[in-house]
Amino acid sequence: MSRITVIGGTGYAGSAIVEQAAGRGHQVTALSNSAPEVPVPSVNYVMGDATDAAALAPVIAGADVVVAALAPRGPMTGVFRAVNRTIAELADQAGARLFVVGGYSSLRPAPGADRFVTDLSDVPAAVHDEVLAGAALIIEDLPATPDSLDWVFVSPAFRFGAHAPSEPLGRYQLGDDVAIDPKTGGVIAVADYALGFVDLIEKNQHHRTHVNLGNPT
């Protein structure tokens, strides 16, 4: 059993990860600025603002694993990267492994190819800033952390999110930084993403690297 702290634990991906981890017997703490609609039994829900280091520090201290499940929009607009850098620093100080919920655009269509984020011509201009902020974590910020921080950046398939819900299959495919299905982007239900995410935590086979979870369409 691990002590897992999920920052953004009532959000779309965060709540699914919380449920999956708690269901496997892990000791889970979820930090969020909103209460869960349906609390998961045994989970320690803490109300707090992730932009406040004073709120982050006590829930990260003593954790074995920290999950950063924040989205670069809404309250995180303009501060997303700074907040994630603070989470990484606190996780390093605590000796905790860090797992980050990433985005699809940071993946590549083929080994060594440019990341999708380098060409946003097919992406609405209104979301360019959040896409770039999300990808910057794996392109710049996480690789720049001290070697003492063990991190994994976990991208989902293209069709993932509240805007594109899908039925869970009870399975997933695990890839590196190349999209599972680069032609269509693939798909993954949030429950399947959480399944793979907690498997990554438990198996502890990936270190300071970028992976992705998806199913071909």
Side-chain angles (χ1 to χ4, degrees):
M1 180 184 72
S2 295
R3 293 166 296 181
I4 301 175
T5 291
V6 182
I7 310 300
T10 61
Y12 184 74
S15 60
I17 293 167
V18 164
E19 182 176 7
Q20 179 70 214
R24 299 197 199 185
H26 296 286
Q27 182 180 325
V28 180
T29 295
L31 177 75
S32 180
N33 58 11
S34 62
E37 292 184 7
V38 182
V40 176
S42 80
V43 172
N44 176 31
Y45 288 97
V46 178
M47 296 287 289
D49 184 354
T51 65
D52 182 2
L56 290 171
V59 296
I60 290 177
D64 301 310
V65 175
V66 175
V67 176
L70 300 170
R73 66 183 72 94
M76 290 293 113
T77 301
V79 298
F80 176 78
R81 292 179 65 184
V83 170
N84 276 275
R85 285 194 292 264
T86 299
I87 292 171
E89 181 179 350
L90 291 171
D92 190 26
Q93 292 173 3
R97 292 183 289 145
L98 174 64
F99 288 77
V100 180
V101 174
Y104 174 80
S105 295
S106 57
L107 294 171
R108 307 175 192 273
D114 289 341
R115 300 174 191 270
F116 293 116
V117 73
T118 60
D119 181 6
L120 298 180
S121 57
D122 293 332
V123 178
V127 298
H128 280 193
D129 286 348
E130 66 182 68
V131 170
L132 290 168
L137 296 187
I138 185 61
I139 295 172
E140 300 178 25
D141 299 341
L142 287 170
T145 59
D147 290 343
S148 53
L149 178 64
D150 192 359
W151 54 264
V152 182
F153 186 86
V154 189
S155 288
F158 177 71
R159 287 174 52 195
F160 172 79
H163 65 286
S166 59
E167 290 297 318
L169 302 176
R171 65 176 188 271
Y172 61 88
Q173 289 191 36
L174 171 64
D176 50 19
D177 65 351
V178 176
I180 295 293
D181 187 345
K183 291 185 178 180
T184 67
V187 62
I188 191 163
V190 68
D192 294 337
Y193 178 81
L195 173 66
F197 201 102
V198 179
D199 279 352
L200 287 165
I201 291 173
E202 291 185 344
K203 293 178 181 178
N204 193 22
Q205 296 174 339
H206 295 80
H207 308 281
R208 293 183 67 88
T209 193
H210 186 186
V211 301
N212 79 107
L213 300 168
N215 286 302
T217 54

